[in-house]
Amino acid sequence: MIRKEYRSVAEVNGPLMFIEGTSGIKYGELAEIVLPTGKTRRAKVLEVEEDKVLLQLFEGTSGINLYQARVKFEGRGLEFGVSLDLLGRIFDGLGRPLDKGPQIIAEKKVDINGSPINPTARDYPSEFIQTGISAIDGLNSLVRGQKLPIFSGSGLPHNRLTAQIARQSKVLGKEERFGIVFAAMGITFEEADYFISDFKRTGAIERSVLFINLSNDPAIERIATPRMALTVAEYLAFEKDMHILVILTDITHYAEALREISAARNEVPGRRGYPSYLYTDLATIFERAGRIKGKKGSITQMPILSMPEDDKTHPIPDLTGYITEGQIILSRSLHHRGIYPPVDILPSLSRLRDKGIGKEKTREDHPDLASQLFAAYAKGKEAKELAVVLGEASLSDLDRLYLKFSEGFERRFISQLEDEGRDIAETLDIGWSLLKSLPKTELKRIREEYLEKYL
Amino acid sequence: MAKEGKIVKVSGPLVEALGMQEAKMYDVVKVGEQRLIGEIIRLSGERAYIQVYEETEGLGPGDPVFLTGEPLVVELGPGLLDSIYDGIQRPLGRIREEIGDYIGRGLTIHALPRKKKWNFKPLVKKGELVKEGDILGKVEETPLIEHRVLVPPGINGKVESIKGGSFTIEEEIAKIEKRPIRMLSRWPVRNPRPFKERLAPVVPLVTGQRIIDSLFPVAKGGTACIPGPFGSGKTVVLHEIAKWANSQIIVYTGCGERGNEMADVLLEFPKLKDPKSGRPLTERTILIANTSNMPVAAREASIYTGITIGEYYRDMGYDVALMADSTSRWAEALREISGRMEEMPGEEGYPAYLGTRVASFYERAGRVINLGSKGVEGSLSVIGAVSPPGGDLTDPVVQQTLRVAKVFWGLDDRLAYQRHFPAINWLSSYSLHLRNIEQYLKREINEEFPKLREMAIEILQREAEVLEIVRLVGMETISKEDQLLLEVARSLREDFLHQNAFDEKDAYTTLPKQYQMLRFILLSHDLFRGLLNKGIELKRILTLPIREKIARIKYVPEENLREFDQLEEELRREVKGLK
């Protein structure tokens, strides 16, 4: 079927374009805009009426002239060609090769929006991933198929931490095909380069697929970037049996691009000008993590999100936290005190932890110990606040013990080197040795038998 | 019916169509050649605004819209239990068998299996006079639950024929006044099912969660809401209630929440056993799962689907508990559709009718006498999670919910940070059902239970005040009595209110044990205070060996509550021994 070409662009406004006199166009369809120079841009149908269409461009509207641009509709959504040859390659935010490698010969083309996984088809994530980082393994354990974001702020070492996780992660006692899909949205060249060179240095690049949209690339390109990445991840995980870690950075830039489109459409804004469907939109990204019954592979997501003004209640971290299975929060004050990784233990959380740890998974004492460490550290922090107001002298003996515990905890448990991978037993043993400084009556969260065995 | 309109506009889940003169408000339509399911939500001239319950990609102007002339209904009958449905009652289990791991579009699979035969046992005889709501007969739906087939609303008269035996849900089992009766019936989800009389709730819904049952109880037929920021444990609390609540039927509605959480319920519930019968818990449970990435309009419908099914079992005379996680996502779906219809927004962009919608949902809860002539009593309790942005309770959805819900469990992220779960704040939460169930507690558990609750709340209140002072001037300046009170309050918090959902012994506590625990902690307070008055040093009191045992009373086995008597003896002996 020959596709009709339209030259009736009526308006261009920000990332949006109106075309009149159209017919037979479908919602969600992909359009191609041909400029007089012969260059093309891609766009998606956002709204369709009988004789007009609203398009959202993926690559920006600069240089478009209303009378010269020609628009063709493709009769299908935006697709991406997948193949095992994608491994080791670097693409831009819309899936065009950025490295000097050859064009990809696709095994098949897949709509980048994917389809929701049937909840009955999901297998519950319960395989512990050892990241080698005590603050995560011991207290906020990551499991395969989980989506666990890192809530960070500008100037904090989230990139170093994520790269370290990507380097060290492994599942205990298993050798399996492991891969990384990396999607950069609006980050700087330096940040992207940090990841690329780290992957190259460790050889991880051979089993990685990278999508790079930098901060000076068109913002709206970012709308498609995570979806491209997840399409590849789904292919590798559920058709090629690989265990895929998806790193998405930075979700804040993505949400801002979404806001830009919403504002251009004059939509009624939700909180702080973000569209009211931000939750649903983010969910269509984050919910693409998981495991499927009967499939070997898995998708684990680690989105990075920089909280504006370190504010956890800002709509982006807030809505993300309602979708993801926990969060790792980085703390500026720990960072200032030179503690790496500066994981703010108390507000951090892994919702899937309890299914992934304990007997036959990590070690029997792990759940009790983790709960006790949390409680003791919380008390220590309270004592510290009290000491700031009243002076250390006015603390009770017990509070002083807690205070000492929390300092040791930050120095010995949370803090570790960037190239230091601790195995889970080592992490737990550090926890036990710290608890020794507290009276036994205080260790209410640990079962008697474990106290006898491990203390 | 060949009536059909034409699409003129598509914008996300909202479709506009012309040629719809025949359409009625809230009628279901089939949209496009794929026949996606939609519902009419506004009419203007011959233009209809349709919210589509499936992904609309690929629809365009000119595509047909088929009218069905019927509102959105759910199918009711045996086969509901142990099922998992999406927001518009499509069976997710069978969808997976037919099309695989992802959810497709335009599927028509019946909610209830058509071929399965059920063994129907009549309970009335030919020639008897029956009234709407009367029980005609029963079917063993699962080994745990007997399904009662009722005379449908609107039918009264003489039973002309009735037969027992093995039938599918579409076969005729009886005839009343010339109208054939089948086990399958339908009900429009947006209309509450009728009943004869509504009663005040007087019996507690026992959840096994100590802070809920002892301090902020909800009654059967009541409403509760549980708002909290992310990570404060809403879903875990709802899961625990779904597992342990002493209602016979559980309807769990996952409305715009995580797929993995639904998978958790799906995989865990079959393994859990009903404490009384030893049967798997799934045999009393119906799940509605419309996860956050599934179409947003179906999310709007999902809570109505759930509550209609709940009412259906209530009418049979069962106690039903419905959990909705989370009503905020439902309200957001409402907001999204409203925004696309360009309605004038109210607070935070929510439509102005948010309040009435929330109220009319919660008002479908209640303890009622059904329509029948026998005065059968059933109840439907509704527990809704609310997820306000940043945990901010001034959020419109929270505020509208608080107007109608009678019990409020306020979750606190500071408690969650200390891993004190359930992270229900004892200072801000409340229950308006205390009076209702007071008689029940006095009669069934112990005369002094309500009083103990008051004392516990008082101690916790006082603790907050004293801690305020400690924060300003330090520990030494407060009186010995207050220091003791702080210790007792701590014990209440750590040994009574804190409860570990993942520990098999601690996950559930019966009311008698809750009473014993509470009594024992408060008794120790009394006795210790006596010692203080005698001039005995606080330090010596606090190092009594019994204190370590208090810390472990949650592990006293349910089958041996006598242990509390021994503990009391020990306590009194040690107190006496101090000089």
Side-chain angles (χ1 to χ4, degrees):
Chain A
M1 179 174 157
I2 297 165
R3 288 265 156 196
K4 208 166 146 188
E5 202 174 85
Y6 296 96
R7 312 194 69 150
S8 45
V9 180
E11 188 186 331
V12 177
N13 170 11
L16 305 179
M17 189 175 199
F18 291 89
I19 300 150
E20 289 181 340
T22 55
S23 71
I25 310 300
K26 306 293 182 196
Y27 174 72
E29 197 173 332
L30 181 71
E32 202 172 60
I33 296 142
V34 187
L35 305 186
T37 54
K39 286 207 167 140
T40 61
R41 304 265 172 91
R42 281 177 286 175
K44 179 180 142 185
V45 176
L46 271 194
E47 203 172 282
V48 49
E49 291 184 52
E50 273 179 298
D51 56 353
K52 57 182 178 209
V53 164
L54 170 64
L55 288 180
Q56 171 217 316
L57 275 75
F58 286 113
E59 289 127 310
T61 42
S62 64
I64 290 184
N65 176 287
L66 294 193
Y67 304 98
Q68 290 171 347
R70 291 171 292 146
V71 183
K72 281 190 291 189
F73 290 89
E74 304 281 328
R76 55 180 170 82
L78 184 54
E79 291 172 335
F80 188 65
V82 291
S83 131
L84 274 180
D85 298 338
L86 292 171
L87 288 169
R89 299 291 305 270
I90 304 176
F91 302 90
D92 72 358
L94 272 174
R96 290 165 298 215
L98 268 188
D99 52 15
K100 296 185 181 70
Q103 280 293 331
I104 301 289
I105 297 165
E107 184 186 318
K108 62 174 178 179
K109 290 199 157 203
V110 186
D111 190 309
I112 63 162
N113 285 320
S115 300
I117 299 176
N118 188 327
T120 58
R122 279 185 187 270
D123 206 355
Y124 197 69
S126 60
E127 255 180 311
F128 174 76
I129 299 178
Q130 180 175 296
T131 64
I133 293 162
S134 294
I136 295 177
D137 292 351
L139 301 175
N140 298 297
S141 323
L142 178 68
V143 296
R144 260 186 188 163
Q146 185 174 15
K147 38 192 180 293
L148 188 65
I150 296 179
F151 286 8
S152 183
S154 40
L156 295 180
H158 44 264
N159 290 339
R160 281 157 60 197
L161 176 61
T162 317
Q164 186 178 2
I165 293 171
R167 267 198 314 270
Q168 298 179 350
S169 289
K170 63 176 173 207
V171 168
L172 295 177
K174 287 196 178 171
E175 280 301 322
E176 277 161 337
R177 278 157 56 93
F178 175 75
I180 298 170
V181 172
F182 178 83
M185 295 165 278
I187 62 173
T188 59
F189 168 78
E190 264 177 68
E191 285 173 284
D193 189 53
Y194 173 79
F195 280 102
I196 296 175
S197 17
D198 198 74
F199 292 163
K200 280 188 176 152
R201 182 172 64 85
T202 58
I205 194 95
E206 296 302 318
R207 45 195 173 82
S208 305
V209 185
L210 287 78
F211 293 87
I212 309 286
N213 165 281
L214 295 180
S215 52
N216 55 349
D217 290 332
I220 42 179
E221 236 182 82
R222 281 161 216 165
I223 302 292
T225 309
R227 298 190 163 83
M228 297 250 167
L230 286 160
T231 303
V232 174
E234 281 170 359
Y235 165 79
L236 293 174
F238 301 133
E239 290 179 37
K240 300 293 166 199
D241 295 339
M242 288 178 76
H243 293 282
I244 301 296
L245 176 69
V246 180
I247 300 171
L248 304 168
T249 175
D250 177 324
I251 295 294
T252 304
H253 300 311
Y254 169 83
E256 274 163 10
L258 209 62
R259 176 166 70 175
E260 203 177 312
I261 294 166
S262 171
R265 287 182 76 179
N266 293 323
E267 288 173 332
V268 180
R271 274 209 310 153
R272 297 223 191 173
Y274 290 95
S276 57
Y277 48 81
L278 180 61
Y279 177 83
T280 308
D281 190 276
L282 289 175
T284 58
I285 296 176
F286 296 141
E287 278 291 329
R288 288 172 83 173
R291 311 204 54 164
I292 292 181
K293 284 179 195 158
K295 301 264 164 96
K296 283 204 193 105
S298 66
I299 298 178
T300 309
Q301 271 189 32
M302 202 157 240
I304 300 173
L305 184 158
S306 54
M307 295 181 282
E309 295 161 55
D310 294 353
D311 176 10
K312 191 161 72 91
T313 63
H314 184 280
I316 302 171
D318 189 54
L319 294 176
T320 299
Y322 276 122
I323 306 166
T324 53
E325 282 128 1
Q327 65 278 334
I328 303 288
I329 298 187
L330 301 190
S331 144
R332 203 167 286 281
S333 87
L334 283 180
H335 181 60
H336 285 324
R337 274 183 280 146
I339 288 172
Y340 172 90
V343 177
D344 200 350
I345 295 293
L346 298 181
S348 296
L349 169 73
S350 163
R351 288 167 193 269
L352 305 184
R353 182 192 82 182
D354 294 284
K355 299 284 158 79
I357 63 172
K359 212 172 174 178
E360 285 161 17
K361 286 175 175 158
T362 51
R363 211 167 75 184
E364 51 180 6
D365 55 317
H366 191 166
D368 285 12
L369 176 68
S371 175
Q372 188 66 61
L373 288 173
F374 268 117
Y377 184 54
K379 281 211 182 112
K381 293 261 276 199
E382 259 170 42
K384 194 166 178 186
E385 274 169 36
L386 216 56
V388 171
V389 183
L390 302 165
E392 213 166 301
S394 68
L395 294 181
S396 67
D397 293 344
L398 188 59
D399 280 346
R400 252 190 298 262
L401 284 179
Y402 272 118
L403 182 63
K404 244 187 86 201
F405 166 84
S406 75
E407 280 164 1
F409 181 78
E410 287 172 3
R411 243 186 7 258
R412 287 174 48 207
F413 190 89
I414 303 181
S415 176
Q416 65 187 85
L417 298 173
E418 215 173 318
D419 55 4
E420 178 186 1
R422 291 183 190 153
D423 68 32
I424 183 65
E426 197 181 341
T427 292
L428 296 178
D429 291 343
I430 297 174
W432 279 109
S433 74
L434 286 163
L435 285 181
K436 283 201 180 99
S437 65
L438 294 173
K440 205 176 150 193
T441 44
E442 287 298 305
L443 308 181
K444 288 183 184 180
R445 303 227 173 147
I446 303 179
R447 262 163 272 204
E448 207 69 54
E449 48 190 295
Y450 301 149
L451 284 178
E452 273 162 32
K453 190 161 164 193
Y454 295 99
L455 194 66
Chain B
M1 219 187 302
K3 285 165 197 153
E4 87 180 56
K6 286 251 171 301
I7 295 180
V8 290
K9 183 176 174 184
V10 184
S11 167
L14 187 75
V15 166
E16 293 175 29
L18 282 179
M20 303 286 286
Q21 299 89 324
E22 305 270 334
K24 301 190 294 294
M25 276 297 274
Y26 295 110
D27 270 2
V28 167
V29 292
K30 302 282 172 85
V31 182
E33 293 301 344
Q34 278 185 299
R35 297 183 181 245
L36 310 180
I37 299 169
E39 188 185 23
I40 295 174
I41 51 172
R42 186 203 281 176
L43 289 167
S44 152
E46 51 179 85
R47 181 180 287 248
Y49 294 73
I50 301 160
Q51 61 172 350
V52 180
Y53 290 130
E54 302 180 63
E55 187 50 58
T56 51
E57 215 159 275
L59 289 178
D63 287 349
V65 175
F66 304 96
L67 277 75
T68 65
E70 273 188 24
L72 186 65
V73 294
V74 286
E75 290 191 351
L76 301 169
L80 285 169
L81 290 172
D82 207 353
S83 296
I84 171 165
Y85 295 110
D86 77 351
I88 50 172
Q89 215 203 3
R90 284 180 303 185
L92 289 171
R94 265 174 290 139
I95 287 181
R96 176 167 178 243
E97 283 163 24
E98 297 217 351
I99 63 161
D101 296 334
Y102 295 92
I103 291 174
R105 298 193 293 167
L107 298 161
T108 41
I109 299 181
H110 291 299
L112 294 173
R114 288 299 192 267
K115 293 211 178 97
K116 182 161 179 169
K117 296 235 179 192
W118 301 90
N119 191 13
F120 175 72
K121 288 192 191 115
L123 291 173
V124 297
K125 291 198 188 74
K126 191 179 161 180
E128 255 181 75
L129 271 178
V130 291
K131 198 171 165 293
E132 51 182 355
D134 277 344
I135 298 172
L136 272 182
K138 59 181 187 182
V139 165
E140 192 192 85
E141 186 174 355
T142 65
L144 207 54
I145 297 294
E146 141 198 319
H147 192 104
R148 296 163 190 157
V149 181
L150 306 182
V151 180
I155 295 183
N156 296 290
K158 199 182 266 178
V159 179
E160 286 161 8
S161 72
I162 186 160
K163 51 194 172 182
S166 191
F167 300 101
T168 69
I169 51 170
E170 285 180 309
E171 284 170 323
E172 181 182 315
I173 48 166
K175 196 166 249 166
I176 300 169
E177 298 287 317
K178 302 200 175 62
R179 294 173 69 173
I181 309 290
R182 303 177 174 87
M183 282 188 267
L184 172 68
S185 63
R186 292 192 173 82
W187 193 265
V189 296
R190 294 185 196 276
N191 296 354
R193 282 175 66 88
F195 48 81
K196 194 191 282 165
E197 199 188 339
R198 204 165 151 182
L199 309 168
V202 289
V203 177
L205 178 77
V206 182
T207 63
Q209 309 304 302
R210 294 186 290 263
I211 185 160
I212 293 178
D213 293 348
S214 287
L215 298 193
F216 309 106
V218 59
K220 281 183 176 171
T223 49
C225 86
I226 174 161
F230 63 83
S232 56
K234 281 182 297 297
T235 304
V236 178
V237 172
L238 288 190
H239 280 195
E240 289 310 295
I241 297 176
K243 280 180 209 164
W244 305 114
N246 66 342
S247 51
Q248 290 126 329
I249 307 281
I250 302 285
V251 182
Y252 194 97
T253 313
C255 171
E257 288 290 305
R258 305 177 181 90
N260 276 335
E261 272 167 8
M262 292 319 292
D264 182 24
V265 175
L266 283 171
L267 296 172
E268 194 182 351
F269 273 38
K271 287 182 219 150
L272 293 168
K273 299 280 186 275
D274 176 59
K276 273 190 218 130
S277 61
R279 303 289 313 173
L281 278 180
T282 38
E283 292 182 356
R284 65 161 195 177
T285 310
I286 296 153
L287 291 171
I288 316 278
N290 214 87
T291 57
S292 54
N293 56 340
M294 282 157 75
V296 69
R299 192 194 298 168
E300 195 269 333
S302 64
I303 66 165
Y304 295 107
T305 300
I307 203 155
T308 309
I309 294 174
E311 287 174 338
Y312 177 65
Y313 282 94
R314 173 203 69 189
D315 289 346
M316 291 181 206
Y318 286 118
D319 290 322
V320 183
L322 175 120
M323 278 108 227
D325 186 11
S326 142
T327 55
S328 291
R329 306 298 161 228
W330 164 76
E332 277 166 15
L334 215 59
R335 174 169 73 182
E336 184 171 343
I337 305 285
S338 159
R340 290 193 194 264
M341 290 206 297
E342 289 165 8
E343 291 175 335
M344 182 65 85
E347 250 182 298
E348 296 269 352
Y350 287 104
Y353 46 80
L354 174 70
T356 32
R357 293 282 173 90
V358 170
S360 59
F361 169 68
Y362 280 96
E363 273 304 292
R364 287 175 78 168
R367 185 167 78 98
V368 306
I369 306 265
N370 86 351
L371 286 176
S373 50
K374 303 256 162 48
V376 173
E377 192 186 306
S379 72
L380 172 59
S381 321
V382 173
I383 298 164
V386 193
S387 323
D392 174 9
L393 296 183
T394 62
D395 167 66
V397 186
V398 177
Q399 284 306 314
Q400 297 294 356
T401 308
L402 285 183
R403 285 196 204 166
V404 284
K406 293 284 180 279
V407 178
F408 168 76
W409 298 320
L411 292 175
D412 189 335
D413 50 0
R414 272 168 316 157
L415 289 174
Y417 294 166
Q418 299 162 16
R419 300 311 188 254
H420 174 102
F421 288 114
I424 297 174
N425 185 314
W426 46 87
L427 297 177
S428 66
S429 302
Y430 60 78
S431 164
L432 300 179
H433 286 155
L434 289 170
R435 280 282 168 76
N436 302 41
I437 63 162
E438 198 178 284
Q439 289 310 320
Y440 177 93
L441 291 180
K442 283 184 174 174
R443 194 175 64 234
E444 302 288 327
I445 311 298
N446 194 294
E447 186 66 24
E448 58 165 13
F449 200 172
K451 213 178 113 230
L452 290 181
R453 176 203 179 261
E454 265 168 46
M455 286 164 66
I457 290 280
E458 217 169 281
I459 290 176
L460 292 167
Q461 292 274 6
R462 177 78 190 140
E463 181 198 27
E465 291 166 25
V466 174
L467 281 179
E468 201 65 21
I469 301 170
V470 171
R471 229 162 271 144
L472 290 174
V473 294
M475 199 64 157
E476 304 86 71
T477 48
I478 62 168
S479 71
K480 290 290 169 210
E481 272 191 17
D482 278 344
Q483 289 185 23
L484 174 66
L485 180 127
L486 288 185
E487 282 300 321
V488 174
R490 193 162 90 119
S491 171
L492 271 177
R493 286 189 281 113
E494 294 178 358
D495 308 330
F496 185 72
L497 300 181
H498 173 84
Q499 194 166 355
N500 184 354
F502 299 99
D503 181 288
E504 64 265 35
K505 276 193 208 126
D506 196 24
Y508 177 85
T509 311
T510 59
L511 278 182
K513 182 173 162 190
Q514 293 189 25
Y515 161 73
Q516 292 285 1
M517 291 173 72
L518 199 54
R519 178 175 173 275
F520 192 64
I521 295 173
L522 295 174
L523 177 72
S524 73
H525 184 207
D526 265 358
L527 296 177
F528 292 164
R529 220 167 21 184
L531 290 176
L532 263 190
N533 288 342
K534 272 195 236 160
I536 291 171
E537 238 185 303
L538 182 63
K539 217 174 192 171
R540 289 180 62 206
I541 301 174
L542 295 183
T543 47
L544 283 177
I546 190 74
R547 296 244 312 146
E548 220 176 288
K549 294 213 168 139
I550 296 178
R552 307 215 171 255
I553 47 174
K554 50 176 85 155
Y555 299 109
V556 170
E558 291 280 355
E559 47 302 339
N560 191 16
L561 292 184
R562 289 246 178 80
E563 226 171 87
F564 278 101
D565 297 341
Q566 293 161 24
L567 284 171
E568 186 176 336
E569 220 169 276
E570 256 179 85
L571 170 69
R572 287 184 191 277
R573 200 169 49 233
E574 284 183 17
V575 166
K576 235 181 209 167
L578 266 194
K579 289 216 180 77

